[in-house]
């Protein structure tokens, strides 16, 4: 279910509106985290589902043993099963004409509470606590194709979350920022005036940025890729697990 997403897209900014079931006002990041919880888990985390009840699988010593599959010289698209199989296509661009919503603040965050999508919201909350930086957060339901609307594609041509628009008085068009590390670095460079999060010293700044890019480049292969190969892959490949 698209919990409250329709009302959010009608222009209700979540820094000052909406509350949880107990009446407590929610910060923007909490709004789309709550919205994410109301989307069926199977809709966006198929790889993380429990393997209990699946058919037994044997470990393979090499990829060549995988049912005799030989990759073609020229790959051709084919129908794929599951939510992501239907959504993911070998081409980019908008599939539906629809604008993204815009709230009252200069910063507009478009994301969802996935492991990668939460990063920008977490840092924006830190910036709010430190500098009172306000923003609006809008859920992008990636299991229903919100990332392929014309408005979101204008924010991120690659149709990935998180993405950010920054409206400023001196620019006719907003600054668009996509890719989680780019969003985090842009926010730090723009709003972290006291260098509370990113050091001013060049050596320490380089160390900080190195770890920033490590967590988007190396960490996912250890976490997401390793988790899938070891726990939830239908076919267990020994070389992939060892790697």
């Amino acid at each position: 279910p698209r919990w409250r997403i329709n009302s959010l897209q009608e222009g209700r900014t979540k820094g000052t509106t909406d509350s949880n079931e107990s009446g407590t006002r929610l910060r923007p990041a909490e709004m789309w985290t709550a919205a994410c919880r109301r989307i069926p888990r199977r809709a966006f985390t198929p790889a993380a589902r429990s393997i209990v009840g699946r058919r037994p699988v044997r470990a393979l010593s090499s990829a060549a043993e995988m049912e005799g599959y030989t990759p073609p010289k020229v790959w051709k698209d084919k129908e794929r099963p599951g939510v992501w199989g239907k959504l993911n296509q070998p081409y980019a661009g908008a599939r539906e004409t629809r604008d993204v919503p815009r709230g009252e603040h200069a910063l507009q965050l478009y994301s969802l509470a996935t492991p990668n999508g939460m990063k920008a919201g977490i840092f924006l909350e830190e910036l709010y606590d430190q500098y009172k930086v306000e923003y609006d957060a809008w859920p992008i339901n990636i299991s229903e194709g919100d990332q392929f609307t014309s408005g979101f594609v204008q924010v991120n041509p690659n149709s990935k979350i998180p993405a950010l628009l920054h409206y400023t008085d001196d620019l006719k068009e907003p600054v668009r920022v996509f890719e989680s590390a780019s969003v985090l670095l842009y926010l730090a460079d723009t709003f972290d005036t006291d260098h509370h999060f990113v050091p001013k010293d060049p050596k320490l700044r380089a160390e900080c940025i190195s770890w920033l890019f490590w967590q988007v480049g190396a960490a996912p292969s250890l976490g997401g890729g390793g988790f899938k190969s070891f726990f939830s892959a239908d076919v267990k490949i020994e070389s992939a697990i060892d790697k």
Side-chain angles (χ1 to χ4, degrees), residues 58-137:
R58 67 180 183 91
L60 302 180
S61 59
S62 68
E65 292 185 48
M66 293 181 60
E67 302 176 2
Y69 175 74
T70 301
K73 292 182 178 180
V74 179
W75 182 87
K76 294 183 179 180
D77 188 27
K78 55 183 177 295
E79 184 177 350
R80 292 173 293 277
V83 174
W84 303 125
K86 293 180 174 61
L87 282 173
N88 293 331
Q89 300 295 330
Y91 57 84
R95 305 175 192 174
E96 176 187 350
T97 301
R98 190 194 338 148
D99 292 333
V100 291
R102 177 181 174 182
E104 62 179 293
H105 299 110
L107 291 172
Q108 303 293 306
L109 173 65
Y110 304 96
S111 195
L112 197 68
T114 65
N116 198 51
M118 289 189 291
K119 297 172 185 177
I122 291 171
F123 189 41
L124 281 166
E125 286 298 294
E126 294 288 345
L127 289 172
Y128 176 81
D129 289 342
Q130 187 69 22
Y131 300 105
K132 300 305 177 186
V133 175
E134 288 281 9
Y135 67 101
D136 298 296

Side-chain angles (χ1 to χ4, degrees), residues 201-223:
D201 178 85
K203 181 179 180 180
L204 296 177
R205 175 181 170 85
E207 179 79 7
C208 177
I209 293 176
S210 294
W211 283 110
L212 169 65
F213 283 92
W214 175 87
Q215 60 87 26
V216 296
S221 63
L222 299 174

